[in-house]
Amino acid sequence: MRHEVIVGVERRRRWSDDEKLSILEEVEAGSTVADTARRHDLTRQHIYQWRQALRRKGLWPRSGNAVFLPLEMAASEEREIPTPDGGAGRGELTIVFANGRQIRCGGEIDGAALARLIRIVETV
């Protein structure tokens, strides 16, 4: 009778949801799926499957991941901007996402409402 002893790293690994989320965040931060998979010794398919499974669980994308950055407006260029209805507005805010989607809204929008809009656009 012949026996074979396999020495090396066990190939079946268990990943917690937090570990999966941290790996998925690397991809969202600008790293490619292939590079991230290679760095963690995974296949690309793992990352795609994890993303889908975590969406079903409601864990991806993480809530509260909207980040507001400081914005400086040139004081000398404060002007009225015509609105589609023919009136004049106090400014327009345009947010362009990496996937090409855009949000355009008036400068008077509430921060909480803007955060909700961003989450909606990112999850669609």
Side-chain angles (χ1 to χ4, degrees):
M1 183 173 272
R2 186 172 184 188
H3 295 286
E4 185 177 346
V5 178
I6 300 174
V7 182
V9 179
E10 179 185 348
R11 295 313 301 164
R12 181 172 291 269
R13 292 174 286 176
R14 305 282 182 216
W15 300 86
S16 69
D17 286 344
D18 288 333
E19 290 171 321
K20 293 175 185 179
L21 286 167
S22 69
I23 291 171
L24 287 175
E25 285 175 348
E26 287 181 33
V27 174
E28 294 298 314
S31 179
T32 65
V33 173
D35 287 341
T36 304
R38 199 174 304 115
R39 194 170 29 258
H40 293 282
D41 196 25
L42 298 167
T43 64
R44 291 176 307 179
Q45 190 60 32
H46 277 109
I47 293 175
Y48 295 122
Q49 288 173 345
W50 290 351
R51 189 182 291 163
Q52 186 177 25
L54 292 172
R55 273 192 188 127
R56 279 194 303 261
K57 289 181 180 181
L59 298 174
W60 183 256
R62 285 190 174 178
S63 59
N65 60 354
V67 177
F68 290 96
L69 302 173
L71 175 69
E72 293 181 24
M73 307 256 321
S76 63
E77 292 209 24
E78 196 169 306
R79 63 176 191 245
E80 297 287 323
I81 299 173
T83 59
D85 62 358
R90 280 300 282 169
E92 184 179 274
L93 175 66
T94 302
I95 301 172
V96 181
F97 293 88
N99 60 11
R101 294 183 180 144
Q102 296 181 6
I103 294 178
R104 290 185 183 156
C105 53
E108 303 86 21
I109 190 165
D110 173 56
L114 183 58
R116 283 193 306 274
L117 279 172
I118 290 170
R119 274 191 234 110
I120 290 168
V121 170
E122 286 180 336
T123 57
V124 174

